[in-house]
Amino acid sequence: MGATKSELFSEEDNRIATLAKAIGHPARIAIIKHLAVTKGCICGDLVDVLPLSQSTISQHLKALKEAGIIMGEVEGAKICYCINPVTFAQTKNYFEAFFAEIKNCCC
Amino acid sequence: MGATKSELFSEEDNRIATLAKAIGHPARIAIIKHLAVTKGCICGDLVDVLPLSQSTISQHLKALKEAGIIMGEVEGAKICYCINPVTFAQTKNYFEAFFAEIKNCCC
DNA sequence: AAACATTATCGCAATATTGCGATTGATTTT
DNA sequence: AAAATCAATCGCAATATTGCGATAATGTTT
C-alpha cells in the first residue's frame, strides 16, 4: 500500500491529522515562523532565508496552502504569502481541543 | 533524495516538526484518543477498535513511542500502552508556544 | 520587444511511509 | 509440555514525500 486509509477514520481525526502533517516538517515550521515575523513575504525572501532551493520551497508553500494554513495574494509578478488568520485560528483551536480532550493519564 | 534535511534546521523547529509528524496520521490520532479514554490499554484492544491489522497498529504504536508521546509497560505477555504524561505535557507546551509565537497576521 | 524577475510545475532519483500477512519470541493457560 | 495468547519484527508491494535542476508561464523593466 503506502496510502493512508483516511476513509476509515472520522472527519475530525482526519482533519487534525492533515493539519499536523502539514506542520510536520522543519522547513514548513520555519516558513510559518518567518511569515509570522515578517507578516507576509514572497517566495524569494524565503529562498534567501532558508537553505533549500526555490522549487523545494515552492512545494512546501503549496503544501501549507493546501492544508489551509497559509494563503497567497498575487501582487503583480510576485505572490505575497501570509498566514491565513482565519484558518490558522481554527488550526490552533483544533489542537487546543485535541490536547484538552486528552489531559488524562495513565495505566 | 526523499529524506528530510533536518540538519539544516534548528533543534526547536525539528522537535515540533517531529511531534507534529507523529500526530499526523488519523490512526495515530485515534490511538491517542483511545489511550486517553481508557487510560491505557493493550495493543489487542486497539486492534479490536481500529480498522487496521495488528502489525500496522503495532507500527503506529512504535512511531508514537519513538516520538515520546506514549509509553509501554510490560505486564507479562501483554504490554499496556498509555500516554506518557510528562512528554505529552511537553508536547502540549511546544504547540502552545508555537501557536502563541505566531498569533500575528497578515500582508 | 527584449531582457529580467518571479514563481509554479515537470521530470527525475532517493528515501520514507503505509499496510498487510507471515513469522518469531515471549508469556499464559490448559 | 502442548496449545493458546500477545505483540514485535521481517519481507514485501504500493504509494507518498523530499529535494533538485530545468523549464514554463507570467508580469515587470529597460
Side-chain angles (χ1 to χ4, degrees):
Chain A
M1 308 293 150
T4 295
K5 296 190 164 182
S6 43
E7 70 282 3
L8 300 178
F9 299 96
S10 73
E11 286 261 339
E12 193 188 315
D13 289 356
N14 276 307
R15 181 72 188 127
I16 194 156
T18 299
L19 289 168
K21 196 176 179 182
I23 294 179
H25 191 289
R28 294 195 287 270
I29 295 286
I31 287 173
I32 292 171
K33 283 186 179 177
H34 197 257
L35 291 183
V37 169
T38 60
K39 308 205 178 205
C41 70
I42 65 171
C43 177
D45 292 342
L46 292 164
V47 174
D48 292 340
V49 167
L50 299 180
L52 294 172
S53 74
Q54 183 268 322
S55 61
T56 300
I57 288 174
S58 188
Q59 257 185 290
H60 283 305
L61 286 170
K62 189 182 178 187
L64 287 170
K65 202 166 65 178
E66 279 175 359
I69 293 171
I70 68 171
M71 60 194 226
E73 225 172 279
V74 179
E75 284 188 357
K78 308 178 182 182
I79 295 179
C80 180
Y81 281 100
C82 60
I83 294 165
N84 185 326
V86 176
T87 54
F88 194 79
Q90 282 175 357
T91 302
K92 190 185 169 193
N93 288 340
Y94 266 104
F95 276 94
E96 275 173 6
F98 173 69
F99 281 110
E101 193 178 337
I102 307 304
K103 77 160 178 291
N104 309 309
C105 283
C106 185
C107 314
Chain B
M1 309 292 148
T4 294
K5 296 190 162 181
S6 43
E7 71 280 5
L8 300 179
F9 299 95
S10 72
E11 285 263 338
E12 193 190 315
D13 289 355
N14 276 307
R15 182 70 188 129
I16 194 156
T18 299
L19 290 169
K21 196 175 179 182
I23 293 179
H25 191 289
R28 294 196 287 270
I29 294 286
I31 287 173
I32 292 170
K33 283 186 178 177
H34 197 257
L35 291 183
V37 170
T38 60
K39 308 203 180 210
C41 70
I42 65 172
C43 178
D45 291 342
L46 292 165
V47 174
D48 293 339
V49 166
L50 299 180
L52 294 172
S53 74
Q54 184 268 321
S55 61
T56 299
I57 288 173
S58 188
Q59 258 185 292
H60 283 306
L61 287 169
K62 189 182 178 187
L64 287 170
K65 202 166 64 178
E66 279 174 359
I69 293 171
I70 68 170
M71 59 194 227
E73 226 171 278
V74 178
E75 286 188 357
K78 307 177 183 182
I79 295 178
C80 181
Y81 282 100
C82 59
I83 293 165
N84 184 326
V86 175
T87 54
F88 194 79
Q90 282 176 356
T91 302
K92 191 185 169 194
N93 289 340
Y94 267 104
F95 276 95
E96 274 174 5
F98 173 68
F99 281 110
E101 192 178 337
I102 308 304
K103 74 160 179 292
N104 308 310
C105 281
C106 186
C107 315

